[in-house]
Amino acid sequence: MTSTVPAPVTRTADGSALQAVLLDMDGTLVDTEGFWWDVEVEVFARLGHTLDDSWRHVVVGGPMTRSAGFLIEATGADITLPELSVLLNEGFEERIGRALPLMPGAMRLLAELSAHRMPTALVSASHRRIIDRVLTSLGPRHFALTVAGDEVSRTKPHPDPYLFAAAGLGADPARCAVVEDTATGVAAAEAAGCQVVAVPSVAPIPPAPGRTVVGSLEEVDLTFLRGLISFR
């Protein structure tokens, strides 16, 4: 994990109390949710199984232990979870080595957060080896802290990753804005008590109290994020 120091409270004249921004990775900053499904399809094809496209919504956004475990059970494939995890990570690394498309607005948002010294963390269910590869494209300088799915005892949809990130930045979770693209990630952030911006990638996410749904990161900037949280 990237080391960091506690972040000061960010206060603005408009009454914002935003202390930190916590960003998901796959499907939020990088257009890779489809990559994971493609790799899963390819790996199971080599094992002699065809994945039902309806399963895509079951596995999207979740930790590998959950998604891989579900696919093993659903197909009856003769492979262990650790063996499958290795194959999936290797396939994904090979895929992003060929191309790593960024989501529209991702680099602009990261640059703006950095320019204003807003404490920012990358919080992903992906494993550390994957995060470190992606960071070479996103720029590790943009993040004071990164949290990987294999570095917490319980990853998304549990609140642990976001609670860990907020604590690492010295921030109150209630004064953190989270940007997520899946229902699993949104559930984790809301369980942690954060304000959530959902940018759906694969499946729709309905609006809800404490949750704002937008169509693209192009709609999200620091002013927008600060407006989500006011002094109480």
Side-chain angles (χ1 to χ4, degrees):
M1 284 174 247
T2 305
S3 61
T4 185
V5 295
V9 177
T10 301
R11 301 175 184 232
T12 63
D14 63 2
S16 172
L18 180 67
Q19 290 181 321
V21 176
L22 314 178
L23 302 169
D24 174 53
M25 187 177 77
D26 293 300
T28 299
L29 295 177
V30 290
D31 191 7
T32 50
E33 288 292 10
F35 283 15
W36 281 113
W37 178 248
D38 291 344
V39 170
E40 288 160 348
V41 168
E42 292 169 4
V43 168
F44 275 90
R46 296 201 302 268
L47 295 172
H49 298 276
T50 300
L51 300 188
D52 189 315
D53 195 61
S54 66
W55 296 342
R56 181 174 182 173
H57 297 311
V58 178
V59 302
V60 66
M64 186 171 292
T65 51
R66 188 193 75 183
S67 57
F70 169 82
L71 293 174
I72 290 173
E73 182 176 354
T75 60
D78 184 19
I79 190 171
T80 67
L81 183 57
E83 291 170 339
L84 180 57
S85 295
V86 169
L87 294 178
L88 293 177
N89 275 320
E90 288 178 346
F92 188 79
E93 283 189 82
E94 191 277 330
R95 184 64 65 92
I96 63 175
R98 285 186 265 147
L100 183 59
L102 304 183
M103 298 299 288
M107 290 310 299
R108 175 201 49 79
L109 176 60
L110 291 176
E112 182 183 12
L113 295 175
S114 293
H116 288 82
R117 300 184 182 277
M118 173 58 62
T120 302
L122 184 68
V123 184
S124 176
S126 290
H127 289 188
R128 169 55 56 186
R129 61 186 286 186
I130 300 299
I131 287 181
D132 287 345
R133 286 289 300 274
V134 173
L135 278 173
T136 61
S137 294
L138 290 178
R141 66 190 180 280
H142 293 304
F143 304 98
L145 178 71
T146 63
V147 181
D150 56 342
E151 294 174 338
V152 290
S153 56
R154 300 188 308 170
T155 188
K156 305 172 187 180
H158 298 287
D160 305 39
Y162 283 112
L163 292 173
F164 185 92
L169 295 178
D172 178 353
R175 292 186 172 181
C176 292
V178 170
V179 184
E180 273 280 1
D181 73 301
T182 66
T184 298
V186 166
E190 291 180 344
C194 303
Q195 293 292 310
V196 179
V197 178
V199 190
S201 62
V202 175
I205 299 174
R211 179 195 309 166
T212 303
V213 181
V214 299
S216 164
L217 282 183
E218 297 282 15
E219 301 176 43
V220 181
D221 58 17
L222 184 54
T223 299
F224 177 89
L225 296 173
R226 282 175 169 163
L228 300 176
I229 301 169
S230 300
F231 290 117
R232 293 178 176 83

